[in-house]
Amino acid sequence: MESQERLVEAIEALKREKNAIIMAHYYQRDEVQQIADRVGDSLALARYAATTDADMIVMCGVHFMGETAKILCPQKRVVVPGGTQAGCSLADSCPAPEFEKFIAEHPGHTVISYVNTSAPVKALTDIVVTSGNALKIVGSLPEDEKIIFGPDANLGGYINAVTGRQMVLWPGACHVHDRFSLQAILEMKKAHPGAKILVHPECKRPLQLVADKVGSTAALLDFARTDDAREYIVVTESGILFEMQKSCPEKVFLPAPAEDSECQCNQCEYMKLGTLEGVYEALLTGEPEITVDPEIAAAALRPIERMLELSK
Ligand code: 13P
Ligand code: SF4
């Protein structure tokens, strides 16, 4: 038997022994997505965490996803293969002390934070959103409500453009999505004129404007599943191609190049810290465990629950 097959069997056995569930984001390595019990976008992962009856959650994603699961299920053990190393440049672009000052400079504003934030930033927030529900949630608020949106300025700009709001934006960005090049994508489109362009809203506005579909990872997948084109240029982290190709084997998915086509800049190195070996270790040892200060967790729970309620 191949060593990878043996590893997968050992993971399955440990999972049963520990009554654990493995959840994976669409940007995880193919082999990790393959062994996961649940694969999803950030919103789906939060929903799965809120409803699971497992004792242990192995969250194959980045640190803030593990924190969200821990805040929703404080009594469960939550582990993230990769631990604190599995960060997120977008979450890091918004340190809580600076965000607190920003909020103080804008009195009377409702604070909406993208789920890609640390627990202390969520604790300062009124409503958490993901790219899967941000339009719906912002759209459900009174039109004259003053809003601060952080930390992703590209997603915030997209919501402002679509809803006509003027949310005050924190100037944060994701290093992967911010690097996609419009020129490279237009050249690709010239070579594949029939291809539709799928863009994550963390990309810059000019890329959003040339897209056939802008949406969360799950929304882009749904679009590809139900649309009638044969080819797609996929402008988000390349891990999503695994599920796209699996769902639509007859279609062609072309990963969009970033500004330097030689680099692997369309990959999130933090997401790629999730490995089969890491999942095995996490199940065996219960480490690296995600912990959140109980006071911060209590304050962060309210805006996450509000999100789950408003996006039903
Ligand atoms: P989704 O919520 O679309 O899965 O995106 C998460 C993320 O980290 C995008 O970079
Ligand atoms: Fe964060 Fe960007 Fe990686 Fe998503 S792709 S987890 S936003 S660094």
Side-chain angles (χ1 to χ4, degrees):
M1 202 193 297
E2 291 290 318
S3 60
Q4 179 151 325
E5 275 174 55
R6 277 203 296 273
L7 188 53
V8 171
E9 277 185 10
I11 287 172
E12 290 297 332
L14 272 176
K15 203 175 72 177
R16 283 192 295 275
E17 186 189 316
K18 309 262 172 155
N19 187 27
I21 185 166
I22 301 175
M23 301 184 190
H25 188 266
Y26 290 125
Y27 296 162
Q28 288 283 295
R29 294 169 187 271
D30 301 357
E31 62 275 20
V32 173
Q33 293 190 47
Q34 216 152 5
I35 55 124
D37 301 294
R38 298 270 187 278
V39 185
D41 66 352
S42 310
L43 177 59
L45 295 178
R47 282 188 176 136
Y48 297 143
T51 52
T52 180
D53 54 9
D55 295 320
M56 185 196 272
I57 298 173
V58 181
M59 180 62 78
C60 303
V62 288
H63 193 261
F64 76 79
M65 294 175 177
E67 276 189 340
T68 304
K70 183 67 187 176
I71 292 164
L72 284 163
C73 318
Q75 72 292 357
K76 295 188 196 297
R77 193 168 191 104
V78 178
V79 285
V80 171
T84 48
Q85 296 294 97
C88 167
S89 56
L90 180 52
D92 290 348
S93 72
C94 187
E98 271 99 291
F99 195 55
E100 195 168 13
K101 277 189 224 149
F102 188 67
I103 294 170
E105 284 160 15
H106 298 88
H109 285 62
T110 298
V111 181
I112 301 191
S113 294
Y114 193 30
V115 71
N116 296 42
T117 43
S118 66
V121 167
K122 290 187 177 78
L124 298 167
T125 295
D126 296 307
I127 314 173
V128 168
V129 297
T130 73
S131 48
N133 59 22
L135 277 178
K136 180 174 177 182
I137 290 179
V138 172
S140 74
L141 300 177
E143 268 178 37
D144 58 352
E145 186 145 341
K146 292 185 196 158
I147 302 171
I148 286 177
F149 184 87
D152 192 278
N154 292 327
L155 173 62
Y158 173 69
I159 300 168
N160 276 346
V162 174
T163 63
R165 308 263 168 161
Q166 291 189 321
M167 301 188 302
V168 181
L169 308 181
W170 174 269
C174 154
H175 73 300
V176 179
H177 289 87
D178 214 42
R179 259 188 325 218
F180 284 110
S181 140
L182 176 65
Q183 201 189 331
I185 282 143
L186 291 179
E187 273 166 29
M188 230 172 150
K189 174 79 179 171
K190 237 190 248 169
H192 302 268
K196 287 197 179 162
I197 302 177
L198 309 179
V199 171
H200 196 279
E202 287 174 22
C203 296
K204 289 189 177 114
R205 186 72 188 138
L207 284 159
Q208 298 169 7
L209 288 170
V210 299
D212 293 285
K213 173 72 185 173
V214 178
S216 72
T217 49
L220 298 181
L221 250 167
D222 278 353
F223 183 86
R225 282 182 183 132
T226 51
D227 183 62
D228 57 8
R230 274 202 37 74
E231 258 189 328
Y232 299 87
I233 297 168
V234 184
V235 195
T236 187
E237 212 274 354
S238 59
I240 187 81
L241 270 81
F242 176 70
E243 187 62 37
M244 284 184 169
Q245 206 63 76
K246 202 170 111 189
S247 301
C248 315
E250 73 294 353
K251 297 188 175 186
V252 177
F253 296 98
L254 307 161
E259 58 202 8
D260 170 4
S261 54
E262 297 301 303
C263 77
Q264 302 252 293
C265 349
N266 60 9
Q267 292 194 5
C268 173
E269 63 272 36
Y270 305 117
M271 282 284 182
K272 300 312 183 216
L273 288 175
T275 59
L276 284 184
E277 290 76 9
V279 172
Y280 174 78
E281 283 298 321
L283 281 164
L284 187 68
T285 63
E287 300 288 345
E289 188 186 6
I290 301 296
T291 55
V292 183
D293 174 88
E295 242 176 70
I296 302 255
L301 179 61
R302 275 179 290 114
I304 298 173
E305 284 186 333
R306 238 184 127 190
M307 166 185 85
L308 294 175
E309 190 56 40
L310 288 170
S311 60
K312 263 183 191 161

